[in-house]
Amino acid sequence: MEERFWDKVDKTETCWLWTGGKVKDGYGMFKINGQMQLSHRVSWILSGNTIPEGHVIRHKCRSKNCVNPEHLETGTLAENQADRVRDGTSNRGIRQHLAKLTEEQVRQIRVRADENQRLLGEEYGVSKATIWDIIRRKSWAWLE
């Protein structure tokens, strides 16, 4: 299994790039005992490291398909999400595949907060609850 894994790695001078299969967001995947695993997690474990409960493997080099253990570290989900926000790779807003609104539409809704929320929802193709969440900053909270 280890040999099969490392055969799918291109060791450059810096990053070790995963050349095997990837999911649509760019992370490498590797099958172990019939189950798909993230390649950077497999690399971390094959290199003799452990993953503390509740932690993920973060890329210090910011390359999603790097499996160089020297470029990886453990961290919390919150730390990983902060990395994604910093790097502009977070799936929030219009990057979220289920988003029905654009950032500009959200800003318009907030400007029109005094209007009937049901009618705003109909106009923008979302529910009254979605309008409420936008106005109260329970969703799209990061957007100015």
Side-chain angles (χ1 to χ4, degrees), residues 72-124:
L72 305 172
E73 65 184 349
T74 64
T76 65
L77 286 171
E79 289 170 328
N80 196 48
Q81 183 57 31
D83 293 345
R84 294 176 73 188
V85 170
R86 178 199 65 217
D87 297 342
T89 58
S90 174
N91 286 339
R92 65 182 185 181
I94 59 173
R95 288 192 184 118
Q96 209 285 339
H97 74 284
L98 296 175
K100 293 183 178 180
L101 301 170
T102 65
E103 293 177 8
E104 184 56 35
Q105 289 172 316
V106 170
R107 289 186 183 99
Q108 291 169 3
I109 290 167
R110 288 188 177 144
V111 167
R112 299 172 63 187
D114 291 337
E115 295 182 32
N116 182 295
Q117 292 174 12
R118 182 184 57 78
L119 294 176
L120 281 173
E122 289 175 6
E123 180 179 337
Y124 287 96

Side-chain angles (χ1 to χ4, degrees), residues 5-138:
F5 178 85
W6 294 116
D7 281 348
K8 298 178 185 313
V9 176
D10 178 17
K11 293 182 179 179
T12 70
E13 289 182 27
T14 56
C15 291
W16 296 1
L17 303 176
W18 180 251
T19 62
K22 295 179 182 79
V23 291
K24 67 181 175 181
D25 62 358
Y27 289 99
M29 298 298 289
F30 183 72
K31 190 180 277 190
I32 300 174
N33 298 327
Q35 291 194 348
M36 296 303 288
Q37 304 288 328
L38 290 166
S39 59
H40 59 285
R41 289 177 61 90
V42 174
S43 172
W44 184 257
I45 292 167
L46 288 178
S47 298
N49 300 300
T50 60
I51 304 172
E53 184 153 344
H55 280 218
V56 297
I57 302 301
R58 300 163 59 202
H59 289 89
K60 295 187 282 188
C61 62
R62 301 182 184 174
S63 176
K64 290 180 179 183
N65 67 340
C66 180
V67 295
N68 182 343
E70 296 294 319
H71 292 193
L72 305 172
E73 65 184 349
T74 64
T76 65
L77 286 171
E79 289 170 328
N80 196 48
Q81 183 57 31
D83 293 345
R84 294 176 73 188
V85 170
R86 178 199 65 217
D87 297 342
T89 58
S90 174
N91 286 339
R92 65 182 185 181
I94 59 173
R95 288 192 184 118
Q96 209 285 339
H97 74 284
L98 296 175
K100 293 183 178 180
L101 301 170
T102 65
E103 293 177 8
E104 184 56 35
Q105 289 172 316
V106 170
R107 289 186 183 99
Q108 291 169 3
I109 290 167
R110 288 188 177 144
V111 167
R112 299 172 63 187
D114 291 337
E115 295 182 32
N116 182 295
Q117 292 174 12
R118 182 184 57 78
L119 294 176
L120 281 173
E122 289 175 6
E123 180 179 337
Y124 287 96
V126 295
S127 69
K128 176 183 173 183
T130 297
I131 299 296
W132 173 261
D133 287 346
I134 289 169
I135 292 169
R136 299 292 178 258
R137 295 187 178 273
K138 290 186 177 201

